[in-house]
């Protein structure tokens, strides 16, 4: 069973986000770049499926050279090979553009399952997976917390998180699933894994290599245009609730919530 | 030329979800600004009687797609039907909920229509005839204001619990029409096997009006009962910080923050949560924030409307008791 994992590199979740002078981008100096946390679950699930069914795990990323590090991390976890599309014309792509690039990479590969993180924790779109599935003409199941593959490897049953419950969905393969936290506990790369990863194949391609027209990707091909970035509204400093004892504080708080905030 | 605003109403087991009314309310405001009609799409099975409610909240027209195969949401069926209808009627704007369903559907629909999609928006306006949407990025550490370029339609999803609800107007009614669509069984690849409802039928964090959340200060899973008691009393949903989830005290579906759920309730009570940046990002759009923490220096107090410095094991039960007295 061959799995493909789509991987994004994002700022670590502990990062303070500062908006650049141009008001259109974030300051990227001193950012610690990591594999998108949801993509870690996707990599881990692919590795577990390979352990059970055999086959290969291919990791595909789009972005500048630094993304190589995150692909190497996936290879160190155990993935077999990586593909990076590194092309300045891809910069500024929206979800549609990124999905077009991924589809162009993946369409000629032999695969049964594509795994993506449920969203990038930077732009928070969560759209690339479903656009990619549509472009490839395969079914999608998103926000998956449990995945079972039938013994014959022909169908999957996925549990997806919905408001107030879990939906169990069955799909034939090939299919695309997006990973939610809880799907598994991703492994750490071992030292031998890190050494081995250095020798694993990592192809770097350009948009032209994929037979894509540069006008279809990047800023030119984007349907969504960013007008500006802004910081969140500052919350006004609140008040500390007085009281000598916990009971007094609780009584004062209850009163404030009822009479001033009117929320209980 | 593409014209009109569509909203995609959401139902589960035949009942309209609150986000549907939020979408109609916002759609009405945008339609008035544009001077164009507002149409609600309603997909389901034996669902037609729900159409009049959408009219009361502001829809001029409701297109009902009634089919057994649409009773429960599936990506295949819903995306195929809505795309077909959109191609036939050419709306300028389609709004969906940024619910699990809407977020699953929006990308698929956008890809079918070759359109742009802005996900999980919290504010909309019209500029020069185009939709402008404001959406949190980095889980709310910043906001992006976006618009569309050569996109027909302009697709966006709206975060639940954020947009203002209209007062229903009993005298308003919408024109209700049956959708004409061709849904071929060969298009339906996935199948819903079952819906496992969570015990107690509690409201999801993303839709909750009130949340009582516990972090590392809870010291262990066995202590969450004091939060549950308070939550039961004020009809709140219990949430957790990442450290509580990573410690295995609470299920991941309870996690609030950048790698959990982003929430905007009317009231958020943070108990024993210090306020790591990734947590604050996930709850700082709550209308009223209460922090209860032993450490007066905890960053959570910077975001809180009301802060209580004290031991949550004393303060929370006392608060429950005091609120019980008020009611």
């Amino acid at each position: 069973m061959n799995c493909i994992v789509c991987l994004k590199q994002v700022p670590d979740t502990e990062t303070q986000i500062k908006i650049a002078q141009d008001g259109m981008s974030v300051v990227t100096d001193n950012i610690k770049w990591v594999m998108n946390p949801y993509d870690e679950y996707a990599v881990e699930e692919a590795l577990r499926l390979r352990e059970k069914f055999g086959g290969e795990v291919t990791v595909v990323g789009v972005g500048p050279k630094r993304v190589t590090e995150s692909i190497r991390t996936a290879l160190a976890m155990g993935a077999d090979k990586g593909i990076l599309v590194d092309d300045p014309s891809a910069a500024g792509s929206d979800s549609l553009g990124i999905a077009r690039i991924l589809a162009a990479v993946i369409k000629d590969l032999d695969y049964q399952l594509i795994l993506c993180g449920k969203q990038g924790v930077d732009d928070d779109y969560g759209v690339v997976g479903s656009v990619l599935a549509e472009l490839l003409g395969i079914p999608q199941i998103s926000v998956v917390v449990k995945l079972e593959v039938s013994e014959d490897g022909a169908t999957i049953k996925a549990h997806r998180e919905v408001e107030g419950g879990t939906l169990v969905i069955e799909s034939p393969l090939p299919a695309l699933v997006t990973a939610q936290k809880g799907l598994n506990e991703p492994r750490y790369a071992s030292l031998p894994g890190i050494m081995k990863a250095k020798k694993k194949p990592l192809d770097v391609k350009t948009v032209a290599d994929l037979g894509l027209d540069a006008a279809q990707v990047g800023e030119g091909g984007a349907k969504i245009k960013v007008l500006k970035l802004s910081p969140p509204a500052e919350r006004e400093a609140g008040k500390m609730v007085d009281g000598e004892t916990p009971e007094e504080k609780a009584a004062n708080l209850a009163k404030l919530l009822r009479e001033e905030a009117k929320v209980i | 030329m593409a014209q009109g605003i569509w909203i995609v109403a959401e139902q589960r087991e035949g009942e309209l979800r609150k986000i549907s009314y939020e979408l109609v309310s916002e759609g009405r405001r945008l339609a008035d600004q544009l001077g164009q009609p507002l149409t609600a799409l309603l997909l389901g099975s034996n669902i037609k009687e729900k159409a009049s409610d959408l009219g009361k909240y502001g829809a001029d027209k409701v297109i009902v797609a009634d089919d057994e195969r649409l009773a429960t949401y599936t990506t295949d069926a819903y995306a195929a039907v809505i795309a077909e209808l959109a191609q036939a009627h050419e709306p300028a704007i389609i709004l969906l909920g940024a619910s699990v369903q809407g977020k699953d559907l929006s990308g698929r629909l956008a890809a079918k229509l070759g359109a742009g999609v802005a996900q999980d928006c919290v504010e909309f306006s019209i500029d020069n005839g185009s939709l402008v949407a404001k959406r949190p990025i980095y889980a709310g550490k910043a906001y992006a204001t976006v618009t569309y370029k050569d996109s027909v339609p302009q697709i966006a999803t709206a975060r639940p619990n954020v947009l203002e609800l209209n007062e229903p107007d009993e005298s308003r009614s919408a024109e209700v029409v049956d959708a004409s669509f061709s849904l071929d069984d060969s298009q339906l690849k996935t199948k819903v096997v079952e819906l496992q409802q969570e015990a107690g039928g509690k409201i999801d964090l993303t839709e909750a009006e009130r949340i009582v959340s516990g972090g590392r200060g809870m010291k262990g899973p066995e202590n969450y009962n004091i939060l549950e008691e308070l939550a039961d009393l004020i009809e709140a949903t219990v949430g957790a910080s990442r450290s509580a989830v990573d410690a295995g005290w609470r299920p991941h579906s309870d996690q609030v923050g950048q790698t959990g759920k982003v929430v905007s309730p009317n009231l958020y009570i943070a108990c024993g949560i210090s306020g790591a940046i990734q947590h604050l990002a996930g709850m700082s759009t709550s209308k009223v924030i209460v922090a209860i923490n032993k450490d007066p220096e905890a960053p959570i107090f910077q975001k809180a409307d009301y802060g209580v410095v004290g031991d949550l094991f004393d303060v929370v039960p006392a608060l429950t008791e005091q609120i019980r007295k008020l009611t």
Side-chain angles (χ1 to χ4, degrees):
Chain A
M1 175 153 178
N2 293 330
C3 292
I4 291 165
V5 181
C6 301
L7 182 148
K8 186 175 193 181
Q9 193 183 46
V10 298
D12 184 87
T13 56
E14 296 301 321
T15 309
Q16 291 271 6
I17 297 299
K18 287 197 199 77
I19 294 161
Q21 286 272 299
D22 65 1
M24 300 286 279
S25 57
V26 300
V27 178
T28 51
D29 306 346
N30 304 320
I31 278 184
K32 183 182 166 204
W33 294 96
V34 298
M35 188 193 310
N36 180 41
Y38 294 111
D39 300 352
E40 290 185 26
Y41 304 112
V43 171
E44 176 62 34
E45 199 65 17
L47 295 175
R48 291 183 189 195
L49 290 172
R50 188 192 60 192
E51 282 156 13
K52 191 165 173 201
F53 293 95
E56 275 192 334
V57 176
T58 305
V59 178
V60 185
V62 181
K65 193 162 182 286
R66 60 174 158 73
V67 181
T68 315
E69 294 162 32
S70 293
I71 295 178
R72 288 278 177 216
T73 303
L75 297 176
M77 286 168 74
D80 298 286
K81 51 188 181 189
I83 300 170
L84 173 67
V85 181
D86 176 6
D87 192 321
S89 70
S93 292
D94 63 1
S95 312
L96 191 62
I98 296 293
R100 277 184 182 136
I101 294 169
L102 291 170
V105 173
I106 294 169
K107 69 177 181 0
D108 297 324
L109 301 179
D110 173 27
Y111 66 91
Q112 284 72 51
L113 187 65
I114 301 174
L115 297 115
C116 304
K118 72 151 185 164
Q119 71 188 65
V121 301
D122 49 358
D123 289 332
D124 287 335
Y125 268 93
V127 168
V128 167
S130 48
V131 176
L132 175 60
E134 174 66 23
L135 295 177
L136 294 171
I138 60 174
Q140 78 196 47
I141 308 178
S142 56
V143 209
V144 169
V145 291
K146 186 176 169 191
L147 183 64
E148 298 163 78
V149 178
S150 63
E151 287 302 322
D152 62 359
T155 60
I156 52 171
K157 208 189 252 185
H159 296 232
R160 69 187 295 256
E161 216 174 61
V162 297
E163 294 87 357
T166 307
L167 266 181
V168 186
I169 296 181
E170 216 170 66
S171 170
L173 292 177
L176 180 146
V177 301
T178 72
Q180 164 71 314
K181 184 170 183 173
L183 178 61
N184 52 46
E185 199 53 56
R187 69 195 67 187
Y188 289 102
S190 65
L191 194 58
I194 294 167
M195 300 311 288
K196 264 196 237 166
K198 291 181 180 161
K199 295 197 186 98
K200 288 181 178 172
L202 201 168
D203 283 353
V204 180
K205 293 180 188 283
T206 63
V207 165
D209 290 341
L210 301 170
L212 276 176
D213 181 353
Q216 285 185 291
V217 301
E219 228 166 288
K223 297 280 181 185
I224 292 286
K225 190 174 136 195
V226 176
L227 296 174
K228 65 167 186 191
L229 300 189
S230 47
E234 279 295 319
R235 293 189 76 96
E236 278 177 38
K239 54 174 86 166
M240 298 311 276
V241 178
D242 294 328
E244 292 296 320
T245 62
E247 289 71 27
E248 254 181 66
K249 287 178 183 172
N252 289 336
L253 176 59
K255 198 162 169 232
L256 286 165
L257 293 179
R258 167 67 58 94
E259 288 167 14
E260 188 176 88
K262 297 186 169 62
V263 286
I264 56 168
Chain B
M1 194 191 129
Q3 223 215 331
I5 296 180
W6 279 15
I7 70 102
V8 179
E10 197 171 307
Q11 55 88 14
R12 196 187 285 173
E13 295 179 331
E15 294 300 322
L16 285 173
R17 295 175 69 74
K18 183 172 166 232
I19 184 68
S20 305
Y21 302 115
E22 294 171 0
L23 290 168
V24 177
S25 300
E26 186 67 16
R28 182 71 263 159
R29 288 186 280 274
L30 296 173
D32 289 341
Q33 276 184 53
L34 267 177
Q36 293 182 11
L38 174 66
T39 301
L41 283 192
L42 180 56
L43 283 70
S45 177
N46 293 322
I47 193 82
K48 208 169 178 177
E49 59 177 67
K50 298 289 173 191
S52 60
D53 281 352
L54 296 167
K56 287 173 194 160
Y57 279 83
D60 297 308
K61 185 170 158 183
V62 182
I63 299 179
V64 182
D66 206 311
D67 188 303
E68 272 179 9
R69 295 167 295 175
L70 300 173
T72 305
Y73 171 77
T74 62
T75 320
D76 307 338
Y78 274 54
V81 169
I82 297 171
E84 186 180 342
L85 294 172
Q87 273 155 349
H89 298 272
E90 297 196 330
I93 294 171
I94 302 180
L95 299 182
L96 307 100
S99 52
V100 177
Q101 170 178 321
K103 287 201 274 192
D104 181 71
L105 181 54
S106 62
R108 196 90 196 190
L109 187 61
K112 280 187 192 289
L113 299 172
V117 54
Q119 192 90 297
D120 203 15
C121 306
V122 294
E123 214 177 286
F124 295 102
S125 59
I126 301 288
D127 184 37
N128 223 346
S130 287
L131 183 65
V132 175
K134 189 172 176 185
R135 51 184 305 277
I137 54 176
Y138 300 92
K141 291 178 193 169
Y143 284 78
T145 304
V146 302
T147 191
Y148 300 77
K149 204 174 63 188
D150 309 323
S151 180
V152 183
Q154 302 166 66
I155 302 177
T157 63
R159 175 175 292 186
N161 253 359
V162 174
L163 302 175
E164 198 185 324
L165 267 185
N166 287 350
E167 282 297 320
D169 178 349
E170 295 296 327
S171 68
R172 267 195 83 108
S173 68
E175 176 197 356
V176 180
V177 296
D178 288 315
S180 107
F181 59 91
S182 57
L183 181 60
D184 194 282
D185 279 339
S186 68
Q187 291 170 284
L188 309 178
K189 292 184 178 145
T190 55
K191 196 170 82 193
V192 176
V193 185
E194 65 170 313
L195 171 63
Q196 301 168 347
Q197 299 273 14
E198 250 159 55
K202 67 167 186 176
I203 299 169
D204 193 74
L205 285 168
T206 56
E207 298 175 324
E209 296 277 348
R210 302 185 185 97
I211 293 172
V212 179
S213 216
R216 201 190 297 270
M218 295 305 298
K219 293 184 177 160
E222 66 283 4
N223 297 324
Y224 274 75
N225 61 340
I226 66 169
L227 301 191
E228 269 150 15
E229 209 170 313
L230 173 59
D232 282 346
L233 182 66
I234 61 172
E235 292 172 355
T237 300
V238 174
S241 71
R242 184 168 81 188
S243 45
V245 169
D246 287 351
W249 299 349
R250 300 296 288 181
H252 61 86
S253 56
D254 283 3
Q255 185 184 325
V256 173
Q258 196 171 6
T259 51
K261 286 175 177 160
V262 178
V263 300
S264 21
N266 277 329
L267 174 63
Y268 189 91
I269 304 181
C271 308
I273 292 176
S274 62
I277 181 167
Q278 58 79 23
H279 186 81
L280 298 177
M283 46 62 88
S284 56
T285 55
S286 305
K287 277 129 216 152
V288 174
I289 296 173
V290 174
I292 300 170
N293 205 296
K294 268 201 300 211
D295 174 10
E297 303 299 322
I300 189 82
F301 287 122
Q302 305 295 320
K303 298 277 175 185
D305 299 284
Y306 301 105
V308 178
V309 178
D311 189 334
L312 73 92
F313 293 101
D314 297 327
V315 177
V316 175
L319 179 62
T320 308
E321 197 47 48
Q322 292 297 334
I323 294 174
R324 195 169 279 136
K325 276 190 207 160
L326 290 177
T327 42

